[in-house]
Amino acid sequence: MSLSLDAPAQDAPAVADDGVWLECIACGGQFAPFDDVRFTCDDCDGLLEVRYAHPPTFDDFEGEGVWRYAAALPFEEGVSLPEGHTPLHEVPRLKEDAGVDRLRIKHEGMNPTGSFKDRGMTVGVRVAKELGVGRLACASTGNTSAALAAYGARGGMETLVLLPAGKVAAGKVAQASLHDARILEVDGNFDDCLDIVQDLANRGEVYLLNSLNPFRLEGQKTIGFEILEEFRDDYGTFPDRIVLPVGNAGNTSALFKAFRELVAAGAMDPDEVPALTGVQAAGAAPMVEAIENGADEVRRWDEVETRATAIRIGNPVNAPKALPGIRQTGGTAVAVDDEAITEAQRDLAREGVGVEPASAASVAGLRKLRERGVVDADEDVVCLTTGHLLKDPDAAYEAGGDPEPVANSTDAVLEHIGAE
Ligand code: F0G
């Protein structure tokens, strides 16, 4: 199965373990999945994908959460807290405002550590145990570090996280700290941190659990399975479009892979696949640049800035997997400014859905694409919100109203609120 949406399932090669193997998306090199630690292709350094001889249909799924989708994963169970089975909120006012036929919000902030990263870690830490590695590590804008710390703790493993100094929201550092990760603050941005962690991994010092690790994306595929199943249960059809924030483009790649596997299994037609629509902050938008220019490669941005610190990323490492996903599903990518992100965060909160700034980028992106006429009024859309409001309390305070001081008496309160 290549990166083509309609590629058929492949026969298991000799290196496969129970129908599972790793394959390079650049040169097709195939590797045994659990014999050695590797993150990229031995031959050409290309990105690896986990491949299955028997991709699943919807009938193969049972249970709840990420492990409902075990038939599409390399193991039956993992190091679990548990994760997945997140709400698909209705948001009637936002829907009216955006002017689309249907709009649902898949709120990944409702995972155990408050972001979608838990879906990847439940699988990734399970694989780490299979490989028998020692120290787990990641570079992070915050959420990956919180998830790694929690799942590492759950699995009884040592964790090391590299964070860009001063650019990680308070809730995330607090989580990594309390779950007992060793936290290194690097005087550089996320992309610099990832360069270092990759070096450490290549030297055998750590097991890397960023989304370069193909097993993490297996867990994140389950976002796609859940959206498709829930949407179909409610409306009898699949959504036309999924709009999601993009940093390293791991989710974009993972959703595309989920769709490819369902198509290969005959569970979905290629023309039923939702259009993957990526949103970046204007100050960190290399994927948008590549899509707008029709480029095959993404140019690394050395200077990046946005209030949505989770997606303050200039070198989306999964771009070679994600660009074909956006293009083949008829999707697109769009950049939104920080003001539009904050406005969307506020509007989501007014529907009771509390998200961190990066998450609100999806809604801001949808609005912009509707205004431009790229998204049609008759579309059924799901926006992915990737992290919980409490991840970034400072941003929430700034976006929300200020507390009002009042004297310590009922009369003073009544007077203050203007009651008769
Ligand atoms: N939204 C949130 C809240 C994130 O934390 C991230 C990535 C993304 C979106 C982007 O997802 O990389 O799959 O395109 N956060 C990483 C981290 C980089 O370290 O927590 P992507």
Side-chain angles (χ1 to χ4, degrees), residues 115-117 138-145 172 190 210-211 216-217 220 244-252 310-311 313 318 356 358-359 385-388:
S115 84
F116 68 90
K117 306 288 181 179
C138 69
S140 184
T141 56
N143 283 322
T144 304
S145 70
K172 306 173 188 182
F190 166 83
N210 282 98
S211 55
R216 260 218 23 216
L217 297 188
Q220 289 172 214
L244 72 164
V246 172
N248 275 314
N251 273 336
T252 317
I311 51 172
I313 294 173
N318 288 299
E356 67 166 290
S359 302
T385 55
T386 39
H388 197 276

Side-chain angles (χ1 to χ4, degrees), residues 2 7 122 125 160 181 200-202 251 257 277 356 391 394 409:
S2 68
T122 185
V125 174
L160 175 72
L200 295 176
N202 290 336
N251 273 336
K257 188 165 191 283
T277 303
E356 67 166 290
K391 289 285 194 170
D394 297 327
S409 81

Side-chain angles (χ1 to χ4, degrees), residues 281-284 304-309 311-313 338 341:
V304 280
E305 204 48 84
T306 167
R307 208 178 290 158
T309 52
I311 51 172
R312 188 175 169 275
I313 294 173
D338 281 2
I341 289 175

